[in-house]
Amino acid sequence: MRKTLGMIAGVMSAGVMGAVLLASPVLAADLYGTLKKVQETGVLRVGFRDASAPFSFVDKNGKPRGYSVDLCRQVAVSVKRELKLDDMSIQLVPVTSENRIDKVVSGEVDIECGSTSHTMDRREKVDFSYFTFLTGTRLLAKRTSGIRNYKDLAQKTVAVTKGTTNESRIAAIAKVLKIETTVLTVGNHDEGFAAVKDGKADAYATDDILLRSLILNSDEPEKYAIFGDYLSYDPYALMVRRDDSAFRLLVDRTLADLFFRREFNKLFDKWFKPMGVPMNDVLRAAMTIQMHVN
């Protein structure tokens, strides 16, 4: 494993040279899709989540912030530069777990910057950038709940956010374990945590990194814990429209350029280091590989 990571580190060093290649123009002779739309309107529409910290959320001043939002702001800089626009605005559009795909498909948003997992099923409707984070489904519960793993959900109520991969994961594990579990669907992660806090649910199932953020930002973090093995490994990515390869290429080049210039590390540490989740060798290696083979 160390040898493999050492080889990857060597590839990463060489990747700095690769960043020069990534700076080549993305546009062909004729614009189409999102880039043509932005050139004509001077507006890039960015979808954000209001309660998906630390990826995308609304702060105390009502402003969208987060790791994914920061990445999309970098994409906007690339779009403006590529199109040679003197003036271009970013329109931030709120989306939910339930309507985010439809808003991308309809064109209401050009790129969704939240905590969306790249899945094959979703690719039937939309496309995705390079992945920006890796996580997976686990459980949040009170330490006094007696829940330690998925079989402990028998005859219990588990909250899930509607329209997420976590919803299907919980249904699948209950079937495998042959247990009866009541599923409570909620609108967002804050509602999921509140359901556990208020006793409406025994556990909340969503991605591990989101659970960590919920506990960290709660009034009494010592009362809660995360339980269970990962039910899946889900890569987060920025969501864009299908059949728009020029825009997706620009998005991927922006991410790769940030990564190879180590600006990615700064953004990552800004949002995840306070949570005790620094960039690790496995994630760094996986991100390096995807940017060299795609």
Side-chain angles (χ1 to χ4, degrees):
M1 181 65 177
R2 290 181 180 177
K3 184 180 291 184
T4 300
L5 291 175
M7 292 172 65
I8 293 297
V11 171
M12 284 184 63
S13 297
V16 175
M17 294 179 61
V20 177
L21 299 176
L22 293 168
S24 61
V26 70
L27 296 178
D30 298 317
L31 291 174
Y32 63 93
T34 300
L35 294 176
K36 181 178 181 180
K37 182 181 175 184
V38 174
Q39 185 186 56
E40 292 174 346
T41 63
V43 178
L44 180 70
R45 293 174 173 82
V46 175
F48 72 94
R49 300 280 295 279
D50 63 358
S52 195
F55 297 90
S56 182
F57 63 99
V58 175
D59 66 15
K60 294 179 180 178
N61 297 316
K63 295 183 178 180
R65 298 185 63 217
Y67 172 67
S68 298
V69 175
D70 280 354
L71 290 177
C72 280
R73 291 188 187 280
Q74 292 296 320
V75 169
V77 171
S78 296
V79 171
K80 182 179 180 182
R81 180 175 61 242
E82 196 64 43
L83 296 177
K84 298 180 174 60
L85 295 174
D86 293 330
D87 186 31
M88 189 195 83
S89 63
I90 301 173
Q91 181 180 341
L92 293 163
V93 181
V95 300
T96 66
S97 60
E98 194 172 7
N99 68 22
R100 55 189 165 177
I101 292 177
D102 290 340
K103 284 184 180 287
V104 171
V105 172
S106 70
E108 189 170 343
V109 301
D110 300 313
I111 183 168
E112 189 262 349
C113 308
S115 53
T116 300
S117 299
H118 177 168
T119 69
M120 295 297 287
D121 287 343
R122 287 173 176 165
R123 280 178 58 190
E124 293 179 0
K125 295 183 177 180
V126 293
D127 204 352
F128 294 90
S129 70
Y130 287 141
F131 72 77
T132 58
F133 198 85
L134 284 173
T135 187
T137 306
R138 296 183 71 194
L139 297 173
L140 178 151
K142 292 179 180 177
R143 293 183 181 276
T144 56
S145 67
I147 294 174
R148 296 296 179 268
N149 52 46
Y150 300 102
K151 69 178 183 180
D152 296 328
L153 294 177
Q155 307 302 318
K156 299 288 180 68
T157 297
V158 56
V160 295
T161 300
K162 189 174 180 60
T164 62
T165 55
N166 317 111
E167 186 176 12
S168 59
R169 299 285 191 271
I170 289 298
I173 194 64
K175 188 174 182 179
V176 169
L177 296 175
K178 298 180 180 179
I179 59 175
E180 291 186 8
T181 298
T182 299
V183 174
L184 172 68
T185 56
V186 296
N188 58 47
H189 304 302
D190 287 346
E191 289 180 14
F193 181 79
V196 174
K197 180 181 178 181
D198 298 339
K200 296 178 181 178
D202 299 289
Y204 177 50
T206 194
D207 297 331
D208 173 86
I209 189 65
L210 301 176
L211 296 177
R212 289 174 182 267
S213 179
L214 289 169
I215 292 175
L216 183 66
N217 292 308
S218 67
D219 295 332
E220 300 175 296
E222 69 281 356
K223 287 189 174 183
Y224 306 93
I226 299 171
F227 301 106
D229 296 329
Y230 284 97
L231 284 183
S232 61
Y233 289 95
D234 299 313
Y236 285 177
L238 307 179
M239 187 163 52
V240 298
R241 278 182 287 282
R242 288 189 66 187
D243 303 320
D244 197 355
S245 58
F247 181 56
R248 182 194 165 185
L249 180 59
L250 184 146
V251 173
D252 283 346
R253 278 186 164 142
T254 300
L255 295 177
D257 183 54
L258 289 171
F259 186 77
F260 290 125
R261 287 191 294 108
R262 304 300 174 97
E263 294 299 316
F264 213 109
N265 291 37
K266 294 178 182 178
L267 281 177
F268 196 95
D269 287 347
K270 171 185 174 182
W271 293 106
F272 300 109
K273 204 168 184 179
M275 300 173 61
V277 185
M279 174 73 81
N280 58 55
D281 287 340
V282 173
L283 180 58
R284 186 180 291 110
M287 296 185 78
T288 302
I289 290 170
Q290 71 166 344
M291 292 174 185
H292 276 281
V293 301
N294 282 290

